[in-house]
Amino acid sequence: MGKRFDGRVAIVTGASRGIGLAIAERLVSEGAKVTLTARKPEPLAEAVHGLGGAENALGITGKADDEEHQAAAVAETVATFGRVDMLVNNTGINPAYGPLIDLEHGVVRKVFEVNVLAALSWTQQVYRAWMREHGGSVLNISSVAGLRPAPGIGLYGGTKAMLVHLTKELAVELGPDIRVNGLAPAVVKTKFATALYENKEDEVAANYPLRRLGVPSDISGAAAFLLSDEASWITGQILVLDGGVTLKGGV
């Protein structure tokens, strides 16, 4: 495998496991240094160790929507690795299942703050600290739930729809030196998505033309491509990674 990211540095939020960690692993395998963020210190430390320790990775604990945490993580990344060329906004929460009409406003605000506002804020932080002067690439992890109605997870889908629009808007604003793209996965077998397939994986997968659910490595390769120079003429795009399920109207 080539070293497309030699000399480059990435911040990946929500990266102690699942899709975020898979993306970090792919970037490190291709030469990047990475900063991982997550709320819990123990899984984060394990993730950093698995990436080769301090030589390759830095772990910073905090809440994704905490602006002080964001600023500190960006500053420590630049201080440690000298730059920040790539940002992957992967953090997302979905604490509420059920109809939108029944949701408490406090829950709605929190999901919006983590899934949307935090992505904008992280982008602002890396822009001010490095990318405004040096350029870079931003990748937002959205969802197929943001592309069409998603009964039961409508709030989550609504925030991911906003993230899609945010991606396109920032791509227009930040070009030509900063590219902004997104990924929209369907169900990927992670702890985060367990409720969508636990004890019914075969039933759920039967709705997919490729007859299986996604795994984190299905996402990490596409992420690496969009972050790389091979995608240098791509910005403001949302790549759907769904095993074909949206061809049939599903999420």
Side-chain angles (χ1 to χ4, degrees):
M1 186 175 293
K3 298 291 186 180
R4 290 185 289 187
F5 302 112
D6 273 343
R8 299 189 188 182
V9 176
I11 295 174
V12 186
T13 70
S16 62
R17 66 185 189 214
I19 290 173
L21 180 55
I23 292 172
E25 289 170 340
R26 181 62 179 261
L27 296 178
V28 168
S29 75
E30 296 198 45
K33 309 295 185 184
V34 298
T35 292
L36 313 181
T37 76
R39 288 185 300 110
K40 298 180 180 179
E42 293 82 6
L44 190 58
E46 291 177 9
V48 168
H49 178 74
L51 291 170
E55 181 179 349
N56 294 327
L58 176 66
I60 302 178
T61 305
K63 296 181 179 179
D65 57 334
D66 181 346
E67 290 186 47
E68 291 185 2
H69 162 63
Q70 297 163 4
V74 172
E76 192 168 347
T77 299
V78 175
T80 302
F81 296 127
R83 56 197 297 150
V84 53
D85 308 280
M86 299 173 282
L87 170 67
V88 180
N89 285 309
N90 175 67
T91 304
I93 61 171
N94 184 31
Y97 291 85
L100 286 173
I101 201 70
D102 295 330
L103 296 182
E104 296 180 2
H105 290 183
V107 173
V108 174
R109 289 189 187 96
K110 184 61 177 178
V111 176
F112 180 84
E113 287 171 358
V114 175
N115 291 5
V116 181
L117 183 56
L120 174 59
S121 187
W122 278 102
T123 305
Q124 291 171 330
Q125 298 278 3
V126 298
Y127 174 77
R128 294 163 185 160
W130 182 264
M131 291 187 183
R132 174 164 47 193
E133 301 296 328
H134 305 279
S137 183
V138 177
L139 184 68
N140 296 322
I141 307 303
S142 182
S143 168
V144 295
L147 306 180
R148 61 187 67 211
I153 55 172
L155 173 59
Y156 177 78
T159 62
K160 292 300 186 177
M162 180 61 189
L163 189 58
V164 167
H165 185 77
L166 185 73
T167 299
K168 296 178 179 182
E169 202 71 51
L170 287 171
V172 172
E173 291 184 11
L174 299 181
D177 296 322
I178 301 171
R179 297 184 302 107
V180 187
N181 290 292
L183 298 177
V187 177
V188 177
K189 293 171 63 177
T190 64
K191 185 176 181 180
F192 177 78
T194 299
L196 299 177
Y197 68 89
E198 190 174 33
N199 300 322
K200 55 180 180 179
E201 181 176 340
D202 290 343
E203 177 185 347
V204 175
N207 295 315
Y208 288 60
L210 293 186
R211 297 294 189 271
R212 69 172 178 87
L213 303 184
V215 294
S217 60
D218 291 321
I219 312 306
S220 62
F225 166 69
L226 286 175
L227 290 165
S228 77
D229 288 343
E230 293 176 67
S232 63
W233 209 44
I234 301 174
T235 196
Q237 301 303 305
I238 307 298
L239 178 59
V240 176
L241 305 169
D242 69 346
V245 70
T246 56
L247 300 173
K248 300 173 65 178
V251 295

